[in-house]
Amino acid sequence: MSHPYRIDPASAKAAEAAAAIARDTLAKHAADVDANKRFPRESVDAIAKAGLFGLCVPAAQGGMGLGMRAFAAVTEELAGACGSTAMIYVMHVSAAQAIASGQSLAGRDELLRAVAGGRHLTTLAFSERGSRSAFWAPVSRMAAENGSYTVRAEKSWVTSAAHADSYVSSAQQPGAASPLESTIYLVRKGAAGVRVSGAFDGLGLRGNDSSPVTLADVAVPKGDLISALGEGANTMLQVVLPWFSIGTAAMSNGLCRAAVATTTAHLGGATFEHTGSKLRDLPNLRARLAEMFCRTEQARALLGHALDHIESGSAAAPLYVLQTRLASLQAASDVTDLAMKTCGGAAFSKHLGLERVFRDARAGWVMAPTVDHLLDFSGKALTGLPLFS
Amino acid sequence: MSHPYRIDPASAKAAEAAAAIARDTLAKHAADVDANKRFPRESVDAIAKAGLFGLCVPAAQGGMGLGMRAFAAVTEELAGACGSTAMIYVMHVSAAQAIASGQSLAGRDELLRAVAGGRHLTTLAFSERGSRSAFWAPVSRMAAENGSYTVRAEKSWVTSAAHADSYVSSAQQPGAASPLESTIYLVRKGAAGVRVSGAFDGLGLRGNDSSPVTLADVAVPKGDLISALGEGANTMLQVVLPWFSIGTAAMSNGLCRAAVATTTAHLGGATFEHTGSKLRDLPNLRARLAEMFCRTEQARALLGHALDHIESGSAAAPLYVLQTRLASLQAASDVTDLAMKTCGGAAFSKHLGLERVFRDARAGWVMAPTVDHLLDFSGKALTGLPLFS
Amino acid sequence: MSHPYRIDPASAKAAEAAAAIARDTLAKHAADVDANKRFPRESVDAIAKAGLFGLCVPAAQGGMGLGMRAFAAVTEELAGACGSTAMIYVMHVSAAQAIASGQSLAGRDELLRAVAGGRHLTTLAFSERGSRSAFWAPVSRMAAENGSYTVRAEKSWVTSAAHADSYVSSAQQPGAASPLESTIYLVRKGAAGVRVSGAFDGLGLRGNDSSPVTLADVAVPKGDLISALGEGANTMLQVVLPWFSIGTAAMSNGLCRAAVATTTAHLGGATFEHTGSKLRDLPNLRARLAEMFCRTEQARALLGHALDHIESGSAAAPLYVLQTRLASLQAASDVTDLAMKTCGGAAFSKHLGLERVFRDARAGWVMAPTVDHLLDFSGKALTGLPLFS
Amino acid sequence: MSHPYRIDPASAKAAEAAAAIARDTLAKHAADVDANKRFPRESVDAIAKAGLFGLCVPAAQGGMGLGMRAFAAVTEELAGACGSTAMIYVMHVSAAQAIASGQSLAGRDELLRAVAGGRHLTTLAFSERGSRSAFWAPVSRMAAENGSYTVRAEKSWVTSAAHADSYVSSAQQPGAASPLESTIYLVRKGAAGVRVSGAFDGLGLRGNDSSPVTLADVAVPKGDLISALGEGANTMLQVVLPWFSIGTAAMSNGLCRAAVATTTAHLGGATFEHTGSKLRDLPNLRARLAEMFCRTEQARALLGHALDHIESGSAAAPLYVLQTRLASLQAASDVTDLAMKTCGGAAFSKHLGLERVFRDARAGWVMAPTVDHLLDFSGKALTGLPLFS
């Protein structure tokens, strides 16, 4: 079998490790995590223990030193078993990449070592109540005070809010003329003024601990700046956006694969007592499965192609980053919908696990850049319009 | 405003009463009913108290004596506020119509009086584990014994299972040569051998108390036969199927209307702090709302047209009965999907109430005749093939 | 059978007459009209002869005095046999209604008598190269000169351009501050400065003689004004838009019905030699037919419901006018697409006549208000935004 | 830019040559070829002259010796300019591969040399009136006569029927017990009994000279057998099906790319006179373009991935061969539909060239294996059912 992300042997080994953890740990707890809206502690610990926190941390800082292809393959394996865990992982790796990009971040290398050692879980805190899903335009503000900074912000959805050891966060720089003049900085666990307000209760990804977080005049020492003042957009668009997009695309692909696998098993297993035939003998059901597979494999193949563009430094890479997230979000929504329609009553109840996958798959439409953003940005890029205007 | 079901003043009054109950009672309890998978006791009681249990029971038996148009309009109002309650109501009215059709049913008129008085809740018990969704072909069997009958059956999804006062149930007649030789009979609350086994835990309609019911050698006295022996198919296809189909179509339409109303309110209410604009100012979002409205109104208009065919005794009436259920199930699935995509994060969390409507809307695909049945039966009817073969 | 437009006996009689002409004349010439891009002379003559030019002209002026329901039913019958003829008819009736609304139009009643007598074919000339499909905002201008007017305009698509006896046309009033200050006036056949420039060669409706027309300083005497100066928008939105929308919706519905009928016949007729089975024996094909029928009947039912709103003077009538055109355009595009996919190679070649219906059905997307306009206007109406801004 | 088919430099050079021919020759004649239903003589000659007839013929026989990746890339370039020419080319290369596979074919190497030299155009003659699109089950029969064979067949759609120098054809072997016992053989130009009956007149690919061909007791000497007797299925499924599927997938992808390119240019070019804005300023239009691009790139990426499976000899290769044709056919249909809807009136008329691409794109649904076949075969493969039963 050819892997659609064209991974090297080291990455394949990491993906196999992830698949084993998914099967042995994530799959066991996923239903309970979902039902009780609880953090997937066992699953996150297993990932940390296997060294996968540091999958893309440079070897010099104790990481595996692997790239985006490995990230995609690993995330896909995790997502197939527990969407919430995969979400936490994508946010962690994306935030860790932001940290790794922070030239002036004090203690960066020790932090990366803690990440690689599985001792530090990080996450992104970008979206805000006031800007809704326009994460690139924070309404929160930094104030300068005696060579240091303070931040007030109402972050609206922070994954791992109560469990992360740090947040990679955004705000307008002091005296910003526009929300686009943002700065990226690190907020450390236990910093004064950080308040997780309320637990998440939503349709899907119910274990991803996505909560509003208030930063009430939180002090940000100079050494905690990740981007230069006013240059947060660079970090957001050139570092976080590609990693987040590739990661969430892979996550959606993993949900699709789970839907395909569950449907395949159900069609081959369930029988009609009065005729002895199986569900797979119904042509419309197996045609729907073929459609599901086709959408899934197209989304996966496009992710592989986007990785080629990114690796080769192609001018079209940013467009393909948007497109692969777009394709995979739409595939996840459509494929899990088809799976529900194909498996009928068995899917509607809990025992196939399919309705959880169906619910988890909808989360992608909610997180920025949403499908509507992706269509709009891609459309602008294709017709030569500026992205933000 | 013209009502799409072209209801007369008496029916309009009943619909207004239903709308008031929906607003005052169903809407208040719907979230809690869903979260706790509990029977909507307050809502069902309010409906009973308003006399709506007997909406379509003849005036001679104390009912309102109204027809299918009233049924559709009332159900639609209920469904907009609580899908589970609407489901219970549709099953009740459909089963009550079966009871009313029972020429040889002992004590039928007293039973209908109890229904009309709000003292008797009834329901259907057709689907079985062995026949999956092919409800017209029960695998369960009746045995004849000294002029009476006993029944063994594994009913798979019975709405109001633990709360109904009676079930309208099906089984093969004694010595049946084919599953199509079925009989319809009444099972009364508390009859020996009736066991509700396990509570429902599914994606949607979580309060409809839909559970498996085992009939373990339950005695069925002659006076409890609703259809003649072996002629159950007539009752199923000529009485239950039209009422059930019209009722569930109206229920789906009510869910669509709720999705449209919620989305309209959200687009007109939510603002972007950094620009002061509202969601309705985004052309793609309001186009999606227009699409939602268009699908909803088409499904409602087709229901009105199906009612014309039924009332006029048109030869095409059975085809339109199938088609209106088909159109409304698909609309409910598509319209609530669009609503989720339009309202984004607000829809994904619980506070808009939209994700419950989205989940409830999927139940239609699960109950027979499913969308796949409806497509197949309609296709056969259109091309001159026999329906069951 | 119940008619979805709920027509009275006189209208039913007109519809039957139209159906007979469609079968006897339109159907015979449709393929040739299409292949040779020629005006359907025989078909238009047959319609005129049957008195259908005056279907909605008041009896006082020699017309049949029927309303929109008759118009919809008649148009639907015509469209099923020849889309080009139906288009010409819709433009004729819509323009005739504009003429009938012209309080100050000199000789209006004689003109209506000529229309009713089948001696005068009229049409609309609204769209312009400069405003593209925004027909409500003409860029052309009237100039006032000695109590009379002259007009310069580049009309882009005029149905029946070379064959109509008059055009109902639009332009900005003299000295207009905005394109919305328009005026509607009549241009008579043979007026100096009117030039039909170039013949139509498009994907569908190839016989509708839709050509660009240049008005080069055409004189418009005061008596040829249909609307008051600057008040053309009233005529366009309150008279033409409803008639045009209902007419084109009915036309799309007629195309859908033709696609359903052809597909039904093909599935029931074509056989596989090596097995003896028919196409209708393939479940996926008959499911697609069921889907086609369902979309068609929903669009038709919504048109019936829109007519109720219009007749009752409901405040929602304008919204339903937009929605019924929207529903029918989308249905025509989708249903004919499904028909092509269902009938395969037979549809791809010319002999089923289906590929012409498929091409004709796409024309609706091109004429304003287009599907995108309809979505936008409906979305604005639903969320309380002004329509033009 | 990374090429989605991951072609080597020699293949890239061939693709560039094809692109140049497409731009310089195919694009110039495509509209005329379509309008007049004529064979694209100039285009086919240019391809022959450039050596592309022998693209995949081994170097030993004078060909370029390139593989499927080159074939896909070259075909895609041709299809973007003229669908009919691309169809002819795909049939030629697929038939040439069948010829190359013919162990016992007399004079095979000289034939391949003529192909490589651009002096011999070949094609497939598989589909038959009696078996409809089930090409793997011919109803035509071979008879054995004195050590030679004769064939009677009604071939229903043969591309290049009147212009090819040979047909690779199918029939049941003498005395076959089932249509699956077929034989593949060569029919040479001018053989007695070969009659091209009637010219093609269809919706799209109007220049591909696809006509019915009657083989009236045509003599087939032993040396013209390509497969062994009764083993035609091997040649069809293991040689022709992969080449034909990859070729038609690439052809569909080329049509998609043309639709994307034309739409991009139109949105960036067309302006509204009354506001000065361009079509690309309308968010719904550019979102639709983004959707078109996303579908196109997914289909292309899946083709690249299918090539990986084929090259690596993966057990899943046959499934991916079906899936890539499926994905590309659906993409071509959907993407060109969206293009028509996005470009409006300009697309409906002839000058953008888009309506021809839209029509050409529908042909894929007609040729076996059709979309319905592909869904069914894929569904069977995924659920472990035998493909033919």
Side-chain angles (χ1 to χ4, degrees), chain C:
Chain C
M1 292 286 294
S2 307
H3 197 289
Y5 307 153
R6 290 179 288 287
I7 48 178
D8 62 18
S11 301
K13 215 174 135 187
E16 279 158 35
I21 295 170
R23 191 177 54 241
D24 297 342
T25 309
L26 275 65
K28 272 187 198 146
H29 299 283
D32 173 57
V33 161
D34 174 68
N36 295 301
K37 300 176 277 179
R38 72 169 180 84
F39 191 76
R41 172 51 61 200
E42 305 87 341
S43 300
V44 172
D45 285 352
I47 290 167
K49 201 177 151 190
L52 295 173
F53 267 30
L55 182 78
C56 304
V57 168
Q61 278 84 43
M64 292 190 182
L66 297 172
M68 267 189 187
R69 292 185 191 271
F71 174 45
V74 163
T75 300
E76 187 176 291
E77 298 296 342
L78 300 177
C82 177
S84 291
T85 303
M87 187 76 251
I88 289 164
Y89 187 69
V90 168
M91 287 300 192
H92 167 77
V93 173
S94 300
Q97 289 294 321
I99 288 171
S101 80
Q103 303 294 343
S104 57
L105 181 65
R108 180 185 66 170
D109 288 0
E110 299 90 278
L111 197 52
L112 291 173
R113 256 180 221 106
V115 165
R119 302 183 307 276
H120 187 102
L121 178 71
T122 183
T123 195
L124 299 172
F126 281 6
S127 67
E128 302 186 351
R129 193 166 308 168
S131 56
R132 307 194 72 88
S133 56
F135 69 83
W136 54 89
V139 299
S140 63
R141 290 168 174 279
M142 297 186 96
E145 230 170 88
N146 310 326
S148 182
Y149 306 97
T150 61
V151 161
R152 316 189 77 153
E154 295 287 344
K155 296 293 175 179
S156 48
W157 304 78
V158 180
T159 290
S160 308
H163 293 82
D165 299 291
S166 64
Y167 308 150
V168 170
S169 185
S170 59
Q172 291 179 24
Q173 70 161 327
S178 132
L180 297 179
E181 293 179 16
S182 63
T183 299
I184 306 300
Y185 53 90
L186 196 73
V187 174
R188 290 164 194 274
K189 188 173 199 159
V194 178
R195 198 171 62 244
V196 177
S197 49
F200 179 60
D201 185 10
L203 177 64
L205 294 190
R206 289 167 64 81
N208 90 128
D209 185 21
S210 179
S211 301
V213 170
T214 301
L215 305 182
D217 294 319
V218 171
V220 178
K222 234 177 184 164
D224 279 355
L225 295 188
I226 291 174
S227 77
L229 282 180
E231 294 180 14
N234 286 344
T235 307
M236 285 195 278
L237 302 180
Q238 287 164 27
V239 180
V240 175
L241 185 59
W243 283 86
F244 172 79
S245 296
I246 294 296
T248 49
M251 178 180 151
S252 292
N253 294 353
L255 293 169
C256 286
R257 282 179 61 201
V260 168
T262 302
T263 303
T264 302
H266 186 62
L267 294 192
T271 54
F272 292 92
E273 198 178 305
H274 67 305
T275 63
S277 61
K278 293 193 171 186
L279 287 176
R280 70 179 179 188
D281 297 318
L282 295 175
N284 59 335
L285 297 190
R286 60 179 190 254
R288 230 179 259 144
L289 175 62
E291 193 80 51
M292 290 166 58
F293 184 76
C294 193
R295 288 295 303 278
T296 300
E297 293 305 299
Q298 285 185 82
R300 296 178 79 206
L302 185 63
L303 178 45
H305 187 49
L307 289 164
D308 293 348
H309 276 284
I310 294 170
E311 274 192 0
S312 69
S314 144
L319 175 59
Y320 280 91
V321 163
L322 298 170
Q323 287 275 312
T324 192
R325 178 164 154 81
L326 173 63
S328 292
L329 291 185
Q330 292 185 321
S333 171
D334 293 352
V335 168
T336 58
D337 171 75
L338 287 168
M340 292 298 292
K341 290 172 177 168
T342 305
C343 296
F348 198 75
S349 70
K350 300 265 170 191
H351 80 273
L352 286 186
L354 200 53
E355 62 87 43
R356 189 185 71 244
V357 173
F358 171 70
R359 288 184 286 105
D360 286 353
R362 312 290 303 199
W365 281 78
V366 170
M367 270 177 282
T370 63
V371 164
D372 286 326
H373 290 138
L374 295 165
L375 287 170
D376 200 50
F377 291 159
S378 297
K380 285 173 169 171
L382 287 163
T383 57
L385 287 171
L387 253 52
F388 300 100
S389 62

Side-chain angles (χ1 to χ4, degrees), chain B residues 196-254:
Chain B
V196 177
S197 50
F200 179 60
D201 185 11
L203 177 64
L205 295 189
R206 290 167 64 81
N208 92 127
D209 185 20
S210 179
S211 301
V213 170
T214 300
L215 305 182
D217 294 320
V218 171
V220 177
K222 235 179 184 163
D224 279 354
L225 295 188
I226 292 174
S227 77
L229 282 180
E231 294 181 15
N234 285 345
T235 307
M236 285 196 277
L237 300 180
Q238 286 163 29
V239 180
V240 175
L241 186 59
W243 284 87
F244 172 78
S245 296
I246 295 296
T248 49
M251 179 179 149
S252 292
N253 294 352

